[in-house]
Amino acid sequence: MVQVGSAQTDQDGRCSQLLPEGATLKEGAHRLTFDVASYFATCGVEGLYTVVEITFQVRSGESHLHIPCS
């Protein structure tokens, strides 16, 4: 596994710039990992999950992806 980016979500729960400037995702399987334990700790809530992972496929010709997480 190679980490290609890291970001913190904004007030709307979005990461507008997850990848470094000029980078694109290559075809293949990718995984987003959300550190929800830190979020819950900041909110003073004891959560059940420590991370949430979403695995998705990038296909040839795809240049923009919207991955809903809620």
Side-chain angles (χ1 to χ4, degrees):
M1 177 171 62
V2 176
Q3 181 173 328
V4 295
S6 178
Q8 186 170 350
T9 55
D10 62 17
Q11 295 289 55
D12 292 328
R14 298 174 187 261
C15 293
S16 61
Q17 189 63 36
L18 184 58
L19 296 175
E21 189 71 33
T24 58
L25 288 178
K26 296 180 181 177
E27 287 183 48
H30 295 270
R31 177 176 49 221
L32 291 173
T33 303
F34 295 89
D35 173 13
V36 294
S38 295
Y39 170 77
F40 288 136
T42 299
C43 295
V45 176
E46 187 174 330
L48 174 63
Y49 302 108
T50 57
V51 298
V52 173
E53 294 184 332
I54 298 174
T55 305
F56 60 98
Q57 185 76 22
V58 174
R59 295 177 186 87
S60 177
E62 290 182 322
S63 61
H64 180 80
L65 298 170
H66 176 79
I67 301 169
C69 299
S70 59

